[in-house]
């Protein structure tokens, strides 16, 4: 399924999906950056905030809750 994530913070984030067999997904996301990606409904997106000493896990989000709703996506991208 198609998913959508936005980094609303003013810090660099690293996002990962690690709980899916045969899949390792990792991306660096800059402040304000948006990302579309494919994932399964069982996936868990882990959000890490980059710190001077490394990265700290700041959130876990179900990929199901990040699923793109075509109507909502049109509204967001046309603004």
């Amino acid at each position: 399924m198609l998913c959508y994530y936005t980094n609303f913070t003013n810090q660099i984030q690293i996002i990962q999906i690690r709980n899916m067999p045969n899949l390792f997904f990792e991306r660096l996301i800059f402040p304000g950056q948006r990302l579309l990606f494919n994932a399964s409904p069982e996936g868990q997106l882990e959000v890490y905030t980059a710190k001077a000493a490394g990265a700290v896990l700041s959130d876990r989000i179900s990929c199901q809750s990040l699923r793109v709703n075509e109507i909502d996506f049109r509204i967001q991208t046309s603004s």
Side-chain angles (χ1 to χ4, degrees):
M1 72 182 171
L2 186 61
C3 298
Y4 182 75
Y5 179 77
T6 302
N7 178 357
F8 288 110
T9 73
N10 61 356
Q11 298 177 314
I12 294 174
Q13 293 180 330
I14 301 161
I15 60 171
Q16 297 179 347
I17 300 173
R18 299 171 62 175
N19 70 320
M20 301 304 302
N22 304 318
L23 171 71
F24 181 77
F25 175 84
E26 180 177 86
R27 295 290 184 277
L28 183 70
I29 308 293
F30 291 95
Q33 186 176 358
R34 300 173 181 173
L35 179 70
L36 287 170
F37 60 96
N38 287 308
S40 70
E42 299 83 27
Q44 287 283 321
L45 185 75
E46 294 182 351
V47 180
Y48 294 85
T49 302
K51 303 284 183 185
V56 175
L57 179 64
S58 55
D59 206 359
R60 276 197 182 102
I61 307 167
S62 163
C63 290
Q64 181 67 37
S65 69
L66 298 171
R67 187 177 190 165
V68 171
N69 177 325
E70 186 177 339
I71 294 169
D72 290 341
F73 188 71
R74 281 192 212 153
I75 292 168
Q76 289 176 6
T77 57
S78 64
S79 303

